[in-house]
Amino acid sequence: MKKFGLFFLILIVNLIYAQEKITLWPKGQMPNSKGLELKNEEKDSRLVQIKEPELFAFLPPKEDRKPMAVIVIPGGGYYKLTYDLNGFQIAKWFNTLGISAFVLNYRLPISPDVKQREIAPLQDIQASVKYLRKNAAQYAISPDQIGVIGTSAGGHLAASVSNISTDYTELKDDWTSIPTIPNFAILVSPVIDFGEFAHVGSRKSLLGENPSQEKINDFSMQNRVTEKTPPTLLIHAQNDKTVPVMNSILYYQAMTKNKVKGALFIFPEGEHKIGITNKSELTDTWKKLCSDWLKTLFPDK
């Protein structure tokens, strides 16, 4: 009887966190691809090679589901993906708030299949935003309440899709009119600057060994903020030795200059490990701050 109860409990847990896997690009139509036959490769619970980008849908029960949805963008320095720790676990937390979450495993710019490395991840996140807006009714979400959350290099990609208006997806027909800019963004310990305060590994993976100063400037996201940048929440730790806190400060300064709605919270501790579980109780309050901030975004909807 005890064994049956344990089996039933495991079954229920699996059902709660069951997710749909969405293939973003029709077979043979993925842009910026050489057409190589790759396999997913994993090392130490990190994906180090992606066969093709995929979205994993984590949905709250329909009776608890809010119109808001978020695309979760894992980090990993643009050379690996922490898809569970900074992907699936964050998605499950959003579900407890009644928010639908979609984890994006995007193409890595170091992939041998990629023709133009710096736009491959951007193409995948732009296609994800379009897909959710086009299929919003299917998931009982609003096409006007779709945001992104990214950690570390995933934060750079979240900032990129928030500011780069050029549509790189190459999607045709009725896809062309669907905007790629999300309605809000949450950046956790984000890579922003590719200059003085760069995370060198992320810059090297995305732009190559010796990028030009022009490319460094173009992909330093504080330089791309405008009045059209969506509302953004920034979370960082002062003692982050991997991605200096100045990355978030520079982005928030640009937001303030351009009158972009948002907030910046800098915690004294947390290092480069702010996530679902945190060693410091103070740092762990980022989740409550995030939840409260999200409630302010769409008061009239």
Side-chain angles (χ1 to χ4, degrees):
M1 189 69 180
K2 286 184 178 179
K3 287 185 178 179
F4 176 78
L6 179 61
F7 172 79
F8 184 73
L9 178 61
I10 292 172
L11 178 63
I12 291 296
V13 169
N14 286 337
L15 284 173
I16 291 172
Y17 293 129
Q19 65 272 343
E20 174 191 357
K21 184 169 71 173
I22 303 160
T23 301
L24 278 178
W25 305 105
K27 188 172 179 61
Q29 296 182 37
M30 184 165 63
N32 196 19
S33 168
K34 298 174 184 175
L36 301 181
E37 290 291 332
L38 301 179
K39 294 182 179 179
N40 283 2
E41 293 184 11
E42 190 169 334
K43 183 178 180 181
D44 300 327
S45 299
R46 271 69 169 166
L47 282 169
V48 295
Q49 181 171 278
I50 304 291
K51 177 183 178 182
E52 59 183 352
E54 294 172 325
L55 269 180
F56 293 86
F58 289 78
L59 306 174
K62 279 198 173 182
E63 56 269 25
D64 300 326
R65 196 174 306 174
K66 297 177 180 177
M68 188 182 295
V70 63
I71 302 171
V72 185
I73 309 173
Y78 279 128
Y79 64 90
K80 61 183 178 181
L81 292 179
T82 56
Y83 69 93
D84 186 9
L85 182 65
N86 291 321
F88 294 169
Q89 300 308 316
I90 288 178
K92 293 172 185 176
W93 174 71
F94 272 106
N95 284 174
T96 68
L97 305 178
I99 297 172
S100 301
F102 300 79
V103 178
L104 173 63
N105 282 346
Y106 52 92
R107 283 176 291 172
L108 297 168
I110 61 170
S111 169
D113 183 57
V114 167
K115 294 179 181 178
Q116 187 177 350
R117 64 196 301 158
E118 66 268 22
I119 65 168
L122 182 60
Q123 288 172 312
D124 296 342
I125 181 60
Q126 286 183 334
S128 301
V129 174
K130 281 176 173 279
Y131 176 86
L132 290 185
R133 286 196 168 127
K134 186 174 184 179
N135 296 281
Q138 175 184 337
Y139 298 104
I141 58 176
S142 167
D144 301 318
Q145 295 190 33
I146 294 172
V148 292
I149 178 171
T151 57
S152 195
H156 184 271
L157 186 52
S160 298
V161 75
S162 296
N163 292 288
I164 298 176
S165 58
T166 302
D167 185 350
Y168 287 103
T169 64
E170 300 180 19
L171 292 167
K172 307 297 183 185
D173 302 323
D174 57 343
W175 289 92
T176 59
S177 62
I178 303 174
T180 60
I181 303 288
N183 298 105
F184 64 91
I186 303 162
L187 311 182
V188 181
S189 311
V191 173
I192 295 294
D193 182 50
F194 275 171
E196 180 181 359
F197 302 101
H199 177 253
V200 176
S202 295
R203 182 179 67 194
K204 180 180 176 181
S205 295
L206 188 65
L207 303 183
E209 191 74 45
N210 296 299
S212 66
Q213 189 60 50
E214 182 182 7
K215 270 196 174 181
I216 288 173
N217 292 338
D218 281 348
F219 284 88
S220 293
M221 284 301 120
Q222 74 271 24
N223 298 331
R224 305 298 290 268
V225 174
T226 70
E227 68 280 357
K228 295 182 179 179
T229 299
T232 302
L233 172 67
L234 293 128
I235 305 290
H236 220 121
Q238 188 177 17
N239 66 345
D240 190 333
K241 295 178 181 178
T242 304
V243 178
V245 69
M246 279 302 298
N247 281 264
S248 284
I249 293 172
L250 288 170
Y251 196 82
Y252 189 71
Q253 285 178 334
M255 287 170 53
T256 302
K257 181 180 178 181
N258 288 277
K259 297 180 172 56
V260 176
K261 180 181 178 182
L264 166 64
F265 294 100
I266 299 174
F267 295 95
E269 297 178 2
E271 301 177 322
H272 198 61
K273 299 177 181 178
I274 297 177
I276 295 304
T277 58
N278 301 277
K279 291 182 180 179
S280 163
E281 286 188 27
L282 178 61
T283 308
D284 202 52
T285 61
W286 82 267
K287 291 176 286 186
K288 175 69 164 55
L289 293 168
C290 178
S291 174
D292 289 345
W293 182 77
L294 289 171
K295 294 172 185 175
T296 70
L297 291 182
F298 307 104
D300 300 325
K301 294 185 179 183

